Amino acid sequence: MAPDSVKQHSVFNLVATVAAYLTLNSTLNLMNKWLLGIYGFSFPLLLTSCHMLFSFLILLPFMMREPFKSLHAATLQKQWKGIIGIGLFMAVNIAFNNLSLVQITLSLNQVIRSCIPVICCLLAIGIENKIPTGKEIGSLVILSLGVMIAVWEGSVNGSPHGIMLCIVGTVCNAAMMSTSGRILSEKLDVLRLAFYTAPVSCIALFPFCYFRESARFMTYSQGQSMIVTAIILVGSVNALSYNVVHYLMIQMTSAVTTTVLGEVKIVGLLALSVLLLGKLCSRMSVLGIACRC
């Protein structure tokens, strides 16, 4: 294949991956907020556990065949610490984020999580041995502040407990992404990483899910099992697709770049709300978008 054709193919793959990442990220966030905050499906730990279990079961038949089957022993022997760390960070990140959406607004959630690029950049110093320049850190701080201002609604609507859950989840998200960046740079593909980390997250969440939500869920699901099953299934498909594309984005770019794309997505959603819904941006939102640009 000619060099120009290879370059064009690489650019096309990157653009397609970015589009898939932004789309799946947005749909997953909106679906979880609708389920947990509006529809009344107040079982965030169960929802996260189902997403992880679904991912493991769907990938299992593929992982038991070549070329994956012969790679498991060597990969787990070499990467088990990182895999456990990613699984635990992911469990805390998703569960705490979903728990926070029950107690705080989506706007406040996005304000807190807009700090992820800065946190990820700082954690990458110790995890990935990547030393950012002062200019890079300054740019990330301006970007995060711009997104904070853009999504800020002018008041804090949420409990302190919900805010703390979101902060802890945000730090774990950054740690998970930086650890993923290091492991993916060592010849581990995205499908195996999703397969290995899913059961770790499930095991970590199971006791909390069982004692906090199982009894309430049994009562809630009586008489509407088909609806509940459909809700969990649709969300699980979205979550699996997002996790695979998320890891792919980290592998193709970097952990920090992926977090920056997440910030772009937030501002993009604001712009879409203006164009499609006729929702006017406040002066603070316009200022925030200008800072981000």
Side-chain angles (χ1 to χ4, degrees):
M1 187 178 290
D4 290 342
S5 299
V6 173
K7 185 177 181 179
Q8 290 177 358
H9 184 69
S10 299
V11 171
F12 175 80
N13 286 342
L14 179 59
V15 171
T17 304
V18 169
Y21 170 74
L22 294 176
T23 301
L24 291 168
N25 185 300
S26 300
T27 55
L28 188 62
N29 278 338
L30 292 173
M31 181 179 295
N32 286 345
K33 178 57 183 177
W34 177 76
L35 279 176
L36 300 170
I38 300 175
Y39 184 77
F41 188 86
S42 57
F43 308 99
L45 298 177
L46 176 66
L47 184 64
T48 304
S49 299
C50 289
H51 289 173
M52 296 296 104
L53 181 60
F54 178 86
S55 298
F56 177 76
L57 294 176
I58 290 297
L59 292 174
L60 181 60
F62 302 97
M63 294 295 113
M64 292 297 100
R65 302 176 64 181
E66 297 296 349
F68 302 110
K69 185 177 180 180
S70 60
L71 300 174
H72 296 320
T75 300
L76 292 174
Q77 184 177 6
K78 181 181 179 181
Q79 306 282 12
W80 67 271
K81 291 182 181 179
I83 289 169
I84 291 176
I86 293 171
L88 293 177
F89 287 139
M90 181 184 294
V92 176
N93 165 47
I94 299 176
F96 278 33
N97 184 58
N98 287 346
L99 280 168
S100 73
L101 288 172
V102 180
Q103 304 179 41
I104 64 176
T105 63
L106 181 59
S107 171
L108 180 56
N109 174 278
Q110 294 297 329
V111 167
I112 295 171
R113 293 180 71 84
S114 62
C115 298
I116 290 177
V118 177
I119 300 172
C120 187
C121 183
L122 295 176
L123 291 177
I125 298 174
I127 297 175
E128 302 180 72
N129 296 319
K130 292 182 177 179
I131 311 299
T133 65
K135 186 176 181 180
E136 289 172 338
I137 294 178
S139 298
L140 291 175
V141 169
I142 293 173
L143 171 70
S144 296
L145 289 174
V147 174
M148 286 183 184
I149 296 171
V151 301
W152 179 245
E153 292 182 343
S155 62
V156 178
N157 295 319
S159 68
H161 182 250
I163 293 172
M164 184 56 63
L165 287 172
C166 191
I167 292 173
V168 175
T170 297
V171 174
C172 287
N173 183 293
M176 181 267 293
M177 295 187 72
S178 188
T179 307
S180 299
R182 177 170 180 173
I183 287 185
L184 288 168
S185 67
E186 299 176 358
K187 297 182 179 180
L188 178 62
D189 60 83
V190 295
L191 290 178
R192 281 189 292 150
L193 183 56
F195 177 70
Y196 296 148
T197 54
V200 176
S201 299
C202 276
I203 293 171
L205 289 172
F206 177 77
F208 303 99
C209 178
Y210 180 80
F211 289 108
R212 286 180 60 93
E213 297 180 354
S214 60
R216 289 191 299 111
F217 177 73
M218 293 302 295
T219 302
Y220 175 87
S221 62
Q222 289 179 359
Q224 51 179 343
S225 58
M226 291 295 293
I227 297 176
V228 171
T229 301
I231 288 173
I232 293 176
L233 182 60
V234 172
S236 296
V237 171
N238 196 338
L240 171 58
S241 303
Y242 170 71
N243 287 337
V244 171
V245 173
H246 185 209
Y247 287 141
L248 187 59
M249 273 300 308
I250 295 174
Q251 186 178 56
M252 295 177 69
T253 57
S254 69
V256 175
T257 301
T258 304
T259 63
V260 170
L261 282 171
E263 306 290 76
V264 174
K265 177 264 304 182
I266 294 173
V267 177
L269 289 178
L270 280 175
L272 280 176
S273 68
V274 175
L275 294 174
L276 300 179
L277 304 178
K279 181 181 178 181
L280 296 178
C281 288
S282 65
R283 292 180 179 178
M284 291 294 287
S285 294
V286 173
L287 175 62
I289 294 173
C291 289
R292 189 203 66 79
C293 296

